[in-house]
Amino acid sequence: MTQNQHSGRLVLVPNALDLGTDPVPLRDVLSDAALRRAATLPAWVVENAKTARAFLKRVGEIHPLTQPLQTLAMVELPRPRKGDPAASIPGTAWRELLAPALAGRDLGLLSDAGLPAVADPGASLVQAAHEAGLVVEPLAGASSLTLALAASGLNGQRFAFEGYLPQNAAERAQRVRELEQRSRKEGQTQLAIETPYRNQALLESLVQLLQPGTRLSVACGLTSPGGFCQTRSVAQWRSAPLPSMPDKLPAVFLWLAF
């Protein structure tokens, strides 16, 4: 569909990665250009309204918002029922969220942390924007996945993001072994995430399931005070006590088999 230059834009606004920990200065982790652009947006679609308002309050302390925070139009992204794909939400619902942009106003998309629509909700809204002929404007910002990959020392030329692994122990074991085989065959780094309170359990499971020669990396809280990235062979992970993983801070787990 031809882009409608008379419509507003869908602006993908990066957030800081400090969800679950003490806030870091936004100027330290986001560009001034992104902060200035965020301060101008009159309407928002967000993952969580409470955290979005907290973010915009921080933005306003750096660049005054063009209109008061309480007057901004803000709608939360629809959430599929647990176990259902986002595609189960009717396409009309996504288009309705684009109403401000279709009426000529720029519309921000914001997730709780990092880049919207990357390992976070929002991809269906971006797809709907393209289908409606809207201009999609991504702003540069940090992604926990790319930061973890860069810091891991694993293969950054060939990689795949798996998302969440199965919670069932037998299904998780089968999936981890499948991904390890793919990693070995294709030289592909595998990335996965977990709900923070299950970080410790996933680390223990990966150390148990992966082969001794596979290199396993754990990145947690990058860009935040106390953040870390550790990469070792599975044999090395097994030879020493495992670190105590934070239960409120998101982590990325990466592995590369040889």
Side-chain angles (χ1 to χ4, degrees), residues 154-155 176-177 179-190 210-211 213-216 254-258:
L154 304 181
N155 191 348
V176 168
R177 294 186 178 112
L179 294 172
E180 187 177 31
Q181 291 175 0
R182 181 187 300 173
S183 175
R184 181 177 297 108
K185 179 180 179 182
E186 301 183 13
Q188 184 184 75
T189 300
Q190 303 296 320
L210 295 170
Q211 294 297 310
T214 294
R215 295 191 64 77
L216 172 64
L254 313 89
W255 61 95
L256 180 62
F258 296 93

Side-chain angles (χ1 to χ4, degrees), residues 53-115:
R53 291 191 182 96
F55 169 77
L56 289 171
K57 181 178 179 181
R58 295 163 69 188
V59 170
E61 293 170 352
I62 300 171
H63 293 291
L65 305 182
T66 55
Q67 65 184 72
L69 179 58
Q70 62 270 24
T71 67
L72 297 175
M74 186 174 294
V75 181
E76 291 187 349
L77 284 163
R79 296 179 179 272
R81 291 177 300 177
K82 191 171 183 179
D84 285 348
S88 65
I89 298 172
T92 52
W94 297 110
R95 188 177 176 89
E96 289 171 1
L97 293 176
L98 297 171
L102 294 171
R105 295 188 295 164
D106 287 347
L107 175 68
L109 174 62
L110 181 75
S111 61
D112 287 347
L115 298 175

Side-chain angles (χ1 to χ4, degrees), residues 13-17 25-35 55 59 140-142:
V13 179
N15 204 336
L17 298 174
L26 288 185
R27 287 187 184 275
D28 289 352
V29 293
L30 296 176
S31 72
D32 192 64
L35 296 173
F55 169 77
V59 170

